[in-house]
Amino acid sequence: MDIILIGTGNTASILGRKLKAAGHNIMQIFGRDAKAASELAYELDTESTNYWSVVQRNADIYIVAVSDIAIEEVAQELQLTDKTIVHTAGAVSKEILKTSANHYGVFYPLQSLKKESPHVPFTPILIDASDETTLAQLATLGESISTSVQQASDEQRLKLHLAAVFCNNFVNHLYVLMEQYCKKEGLDFQLLVPLIQETALRIQTIAPSQSQTGPAIRRDSNTIERHLALLEKHPDLKSIYQLFTQSIQQHN
């Protein structure tokens, strides 16, 4: 398919790489930052622009991969009645594109994407569209870069986006807190990496509820009290420890 990418960030960059590798034609990159647009266009061997008036009007699909708050602005600029326009956000309704085109939808990669990473992760694609023809078009596009493509309504995507925040953003924040804790206490955070990896791998074959370990689920009050004593000088961490301990015990 002939594709124009609107955006130059993590999602635009990773999708651009995947789509190009799948044989699609990335016709043009649009970005408000001319330098960033030029750099991504160079990587994908195409052209770039930061002027709406220069955006080509003959692509099959226009993929709006910008921040959630910028989607409406882009929608106002793109008026392409006979083309397909999609955005890539999990928490934004497809209807935000309703006034931009007769054929519109969502092409949401359910993955944490970092354009600087040399590793391109497996990425489930969630799609939704204004009509069956557009939905089939997006399914074909999704299946060219992923073996997991599913239709998801605005409400379903929002709920999955919330789940992703818990599973990824919040969990990673715990890593940040423990990295800082280890540094303050003169400990090597890297010693915890094999444990982190094993926990992530385990849930591929065992339900999370069945793989929970630790003093909270064992109701090991002696260890819990000793941990809390260590956290007296880290009150924020102590509050989190108590909250998680209580939650684990309530759900097991």
Side-chain angles (χ1 to χ4, degrees):
M1 297 184 191
D2 290 334
I3 298 168
I4 287 181
L5 277 176
I6 311 295
T8 59
N10 293 316
T11 301
S13 298
I14 299 299
L15 281 182
R17 293 169 192 167
K18 284 179 170 286
L19 291 166
K20 181 176 174 60
H24 297 286
N25 176 31
I26 309 299
M27 296 177 62
Q28 191 179 45
I29 306 293
F30 172 89
R32 288 178 293 184
D33 184 327
K35 183 175 182 293
S38 178
E39 289 174 351
L40 182 57
Y42 179 79
E43 178 186 349
L44 300 179
D45 191 25
T46 188
E47 64 178 65
S48 68
T49 183
N50 62 330
Y51 294 102
W52 287 115
S53 60
V54 184
V55 173
Q56 296 185 40
R57 292 336 222 202
N58 58 337
D60 297 313
I61 296 182
Y62 292 73
I63 299 179
V64 181
V66 299
S67 65
D68 291 7
I69 60 173
I71 294 173
E72 186 172 8
E73 176 188 341
V74 173
Q76 292 172 353
E77 294 288 351
L78 284 177
Q79 297 296 319
L80 300 162
T81 303
D82 59 340
K83 302 297 181 182
T84 298
I85 304 176
V86 299
H87 70 66
T88 60
V92 179
S93 170
K94 67 179 181 293
E95 299 302 325
I96 199 170
L97 300 173
K98 188 174 183 177
T99 60
S100 300
N102 292 333
H103 305 286
Y104 58 91
V106 179
F107 193 81
Y108 171 47
L110 183 53
Q111 183 55 274
S112 175
L113 304 174
K114 293 291 288 183
K115 63 181 178 181
E116 298 85 3
S117 174
H119 170 64
V120 180
F122 172 74
T123 305
I125 303 292
L126 301 182
I127 60 173
D128 196 15
S130 56
D131 56 272
E132 291 300 322
T133 300
T134 305
L135 189 66
Q137 183 185 30
L138 296 184
T140 299
L141 184 67
E143 288 164 1
S144 71
I145 62 173
S146 176
T147 56
S148 178
V149 180
Q150 295 186 32
Q151 182 179 3
S153 67
D154 287 341
E155 183 179 7
Q156 289 171 325
R157 284 196 328 279
L158 181 59
K159 290 177 178 178
L160 282 166
H161 189 269
L162 169 62
V165 167
F166 271 86
C167 291
N168 177 249
N169 304 135
F170 289 176
V171 170
N172 189 73
H173 181 62
L174 292 178
Y175 299 156
V176 172
L177 293 177
M178 287 305 96
E179 182 181 39
Q180 294 172 348
Y181 169 79
C182 287
K183 186 176 181 179
K184 290 177 181 177
E185 297 294 334
L187 305 171
D188 183 3
F189 175 77
Q190 289 300 311
L191 290 173
L192 298 170
V193 172
L195 173 65
I196 293 169
Q197 293 173 329
E198 173 59 23
T199 302
L201 289 171
R202 189 178 295 166
I203 62 172
Q204 296 183 46
T205 55
I206 304 173
S209 59
Q210 298 300 312
S211 62
Q212 186 73 54
T213 61
I217 196 171
R218 296 195 306 268
R219 299 183 184 275
D220 180 353
S221 58
N222 288 335
T223 299
I224 291 171
E225 289 303 320
R226 294 177 69 190
H227 284 170
L228 289 172
L230 286 175
L231 293 173
E232 285 296 336
K233 58 182 178 181
H234 304 281
D236 290 347
L237 295 182
K238 182 178 179 180
S239 297
I240 294 172
Y241 186 102
Q242 290 172 316
L243 176 65
F244 272 77
T245 297
Q246 181 182 27
S247 182
I248 290 170
Q249 292 179 345
Q250 287 178 341
H251 289 86
N252 288 278

